[in-house]
Amino acid sequence: MHHLRDVDGGGPFASPTATVAEAEEAMVDRRLGALPVVDEHGDALGVLARSCLSGRSS
């Protein structure tokens, strides 16, 4: 089994404990449309899409 931590170059990943604001800021800063969410073992939990965040209530 491969883990995201095994991918060369690492990359921007969000922790499941990151806030929505932190994840959104990371995507804006890096000009990403999505951010993988990984656990402490490097296993993928899902993907947070920036398009799903736009228009969210504050």
Side-chain angles (χ1 to χ4, degrees):
M1 175 192 272
H2 292 284
H3 301 280
L4 287 176
R5 68 173 179 250
D6 298 329
V7 177
D8 286 340
F13 301 120
S15 157
T17 60
T19 66
V20 171
E22 290 169 336
E24 189 171 26
E25 182 179 339
M27 287 187 271
V28 169
D29 289 348
R30 293 177 176 94
R31 296 185 176 147
L32 299 172
L35 195 60
V37 180
V38 300
D39 67 13
E40 66 275 6
H41 304 289
D43 296 320
L45 300 176
V47 177
L48 182 59
R50 193 168 158 198
S51 62
C52 293
L53 300 178
S54 60
R56 66 183 170 87
S57 44
S58 306

